[in-house]
Each structure stands twice: as C-alpha cells, then as structure tokens.
C-alpha cells in the first residue's frame, strides 16, 4: 500500500488547517505579550457556531461568518479581563475553555434536541475546490479540500509579513517586547492587546468552522479533542514566529494523517488517534531538552515577548531591584 502520495499531502493539509488558524491566533497574542491558552474553547465554540449558522441559514459560508464574529465576541471576555482589568489570562482562559465545553453541550440539547452529535441531513458543508481538479499537483493537493485550507497557509505568510513589515505589526511586537517604551510613545498597550486577543478569537472561529464544516459536516461534543492545546504547543515550540508555527502545525497534521493511514493497514484506531498527541509530547520534551542543554543559545533566540509569564515576572523583579 502506497502511504505517501499526493493524497497523503492533501490529508496532511486538511488536518493542519484548523490547528494552524488557532496557532496563528496564539502567536499574535504572544507577540503582544499575552499567553493565550483559550484556543481550545474558542475553537470548540467556533465549530458549534458554524454548524448552527449553516443549519439555520442554509449557507455554509454564512455559518463561517457567524463562527468568526461570534468567536471574536467570545474572546472579548479574555481581552477585557486580561488587558483592561489586569486579571490573570491563564485563569480566565481556563474558565472560558470550561464554559465553551459546557455551553456547547447544553445548547446542542436545547436547540437541536440531540445528545452527543448533530449531523442533520442536508447540512451545508464547505465545498471543495473542484475547479482545480484538472491542474497537475495543485488539483491533487487542494482539489479535495475547502478554500479555507490553502487560505490557512496564506494567512501564515500574511501574518509573518504583517508583523515584520508594517508599522502596526512592529508596534504590536513592541507591545510584547517593551510595553513601557510603547506607552512612552503615546500608544495604548491595552488597545493593542485587546485587538490581538479578539483577532485570535476570529482566527479560532475559522479553525472551528473548517473543523466542523470542512473536515466533516457535523458537530460533536468536544469535537476539538485537544487541537487547541496542540496549537498552544505549536506556538511554544515555534517561539511565536508565524512561519515556524506553520511548520510545527504541518508536523502535527502529518502525524494525524499518518495515523489515519495506519488504520487503513489494520493498525488499532486507538494507536492512530494517539499519534498526534504522542508527537506533541515528544517534540515538547525535545524542546525542553534543548533548552536544558543549550540555555545560552535558547535565551539569545528569545525576545522578551517569547518568555513565559514567570520568566517575565522574574526579569521585571530583577530590573526593579537594580
């Protein structure tokens, strides 16, 4: 059986797209100095809103729009709570993750009178790029996927360009690296951080929409199944760089696609399902090991925005003592 072919590449991109959208949102927040672990809950809400929107309007793209807008609104809680009221973003994010899990499970019963999964007959899903079917390679890679899959890759490039080449992107990085200097220039650190968190919410809405209307055409309770946490891990491994984030997410997508291929040759489903998470753990351990073996090199690669909250607090304390 031929495991690696263009169909495998298409499957890798399909598995990568939802994680990549969420991870780019996390990278934007990290560049602004906010460690966002609410990606799992926001993606789950986006998946539910997309299916509900498609069901009630009869249009998959209206479902996507509803997912993006409602998830951005969902992210306002974290944005205002952490940036304006200075609450701990970790605590708020954990609360919103639990809330998303509970409220989607509640609404699927109240609105659709079902338990577990909602897959009505005729639910409008995202169409595939069939017009590419006759184009060599592109047709095999993208022809079976929705438009949101190649858009995810383009978004990674666009975010990298925006952060590195535009005044607004450079200011956002400045908010994460030297917020006091940005404030001294008369810019609002609070507004930049709120905008970054809400933009991340919109990206998580796209992630959820691709998951529930692109990868499949249904909603299942807790259907994100840890993909938001994989996105958080990708952000940490890639030290917040959008293009590195894309590479990390492609690795996770390859692990998931390879797991499905293993099922095709008789491997246990549990082994295939665990593959992406095992890869995540291995990569995190390797990253940690690299930090332990080469602390000076890793520290030199990090900007202040790349440091975790504990490192930042320690650094600020040392500066104060000086």
């Amino acid at each position: 059986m031929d495991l690696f072919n263009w169909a495998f590449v298409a499957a890798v991109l399909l598995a990568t797209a939802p994680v990549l959208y969420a991870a780019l949102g996390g990278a934007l927040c990290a560049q602004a100095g906010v460690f966002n672990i609410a990606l799992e809950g926001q993606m789950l809400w986006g998946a539910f809103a997309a299916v509900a929107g498609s069901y009630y309007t009869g249009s998959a793209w209206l479902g996507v729009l509803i997912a993006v807008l409602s998830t951005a609104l969902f992210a306002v809680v974290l944005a205002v709570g952490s940036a304006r009221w200075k609450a701990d973003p970790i605590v708020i994010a954990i609360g919103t993750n639990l809330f998303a899990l509970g409220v989607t499970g509640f609404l699927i019963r109240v609105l659709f009178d079902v338990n577990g999964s909602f897959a009505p007959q005729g639910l409008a899903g995202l169409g595939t790029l069939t017009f590419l079917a006759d184009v060599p390679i592109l047709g095999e890679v993208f022809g079976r996927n929705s438009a949101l899959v190649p858009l995810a890759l383009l978004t990674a490039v666009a975010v990298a360009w925006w952060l590195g080449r535009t005044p607004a992107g450079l200011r956002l990085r400045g908010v994460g690296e030297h917020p006091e200097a940005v404030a001294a220039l008369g810019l609002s650190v609070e507004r930049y951080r709120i905008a970054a968190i809400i933009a991340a919410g919109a990206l998580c809405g796209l992630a959820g929409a691709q998951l529930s209307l692109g990868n499949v055409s249904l909603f299942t309770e807790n259907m994100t199944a840890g993909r938001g946490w994989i996105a958080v891990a990708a952000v940490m491994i890639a030290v917040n760089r959008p293009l590195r984030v894309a590479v990390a997410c492609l690795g996770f997508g390859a692990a998931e696609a390879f797991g499905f291929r293993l099922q095709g040759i008789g491997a246990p489903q549990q082994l295939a399902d665990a593959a992406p998470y095992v890869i995540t753990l291995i990569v995190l351990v390797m990253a940690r090991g690299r930090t332990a073996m080469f602390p000076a090199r890793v520290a030199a690669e990090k900007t202040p925005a790349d440091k975790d909250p504990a490192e930042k607090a320690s650094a600020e304390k040392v500066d104060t003592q000086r």
Side-chain angles (χ1 to χ4, degrees), residues 25-305:
L28 273 179
C29 291
Q31 291 283 357
V34 179
F35 186 48
N36 186 351
I37 63 167
L39 307 178
E40 174 79 4
Q42 292 175 2
M43 192 193 302
L44 181 61
W45 173 259
F48 175 82
V51 167
S54 177
Y55 176 73
Y56 284 117
T57 65
S59 167
W61 288 106
L62 282 178
V64 173
L65 180 62
I66 290 170
V68 170
L69 295 178
S70 64
T71 312
L73 186 62
F74 190 86
V76 169
V77 176
L78 175 62
V80 174
S82 62
R84 173 159 296 183
W85 295 338
K86 312 302 180 190
D88 190 331
I90 304 294
V91 175
I92 299 175
I94 291 173
T96 56
N97 284 338
L98 294 174
F99 176 76
L101 182 62
V103 76
T104 52
F106 171 73
L107 289 176
I108 194 175
R109 292 170 176 78
V110 172
L111 296 179
F112 308 125
D113 196 25
V114 295
N115 290 320
S117 297
F118 178 61
Q121 194 171 17
L123 178 69
L126 293 172
T128 57
L129 301 174
T130 52
F131 66 92
L132 293 174
D134 296 331
V135 180
I137 299 179
L138 282 180
E140 295 183 80
V141 173
F142 294 113
R144 303 173 187 175
N145 292 326
S146 76
L148 291 184
V149 172
L151 183 62
L153 301 176
L154 294 175
T155 303
V157 176
V159 171
W161 176 82
W162 183 77
L163 284 171
R165 301 289 182 180
T166 66
L170 293 171
R171 288 183 193 127
L172 183 73
R173 292 172 59 187
V175 166
E177 294 177 7
H178 301 289
E180 297 83 4
V182 172
L185 293 174
L187 300 174
S188 173
V189 173
E190 177 184 306
R191 288 182 183 177
Y192 272 90
R193 285 180 173 167
I194 287 176
I197 296 171
I198 292 176
L203 287 169
C204 285
L206 276 178
Q210 169 59 30
L211 187 64
S212 62
L213 294 180
N215 291 29
V216 292
S217 292
L218 57 87
F219 176 79
T220 302
E221 287 185 55
N222 196 26
M223 72 180 298
T224 47
R227 287 179 175 82
W229 294 108
I230 290 178
V232 172
V235 174
M236 296 173 67
I237 293 167
V239 286
N240 315 329
R241 306 299 198 274
L243 295 182
R244 293 187 190 181
V245 165
V247 173
C249 291
L250 283 169
F252 300 132
E256 184 173 332
F258 186 64
F260 284 123
R261 289 297 176 101
L262 289 180
Q263 288 185 46
I265 59 174
Q269 179 186 349
Q270 292 82 0
L271 176 63
D273 290 344
Y277 309 106
V278 171
I279 294 295
T280 303
L281 287 174
I282 292 173
V283 173
L284 282 173
V285 170
M286 290 175 64
R288 184 62 183 173
R290 179 173 176 267
T291 303
M293 293 177 64
F294 308 105
R297 184 187 302 176
V298 174
E301 291 178 356
K302 284 186 174 184
T303 67

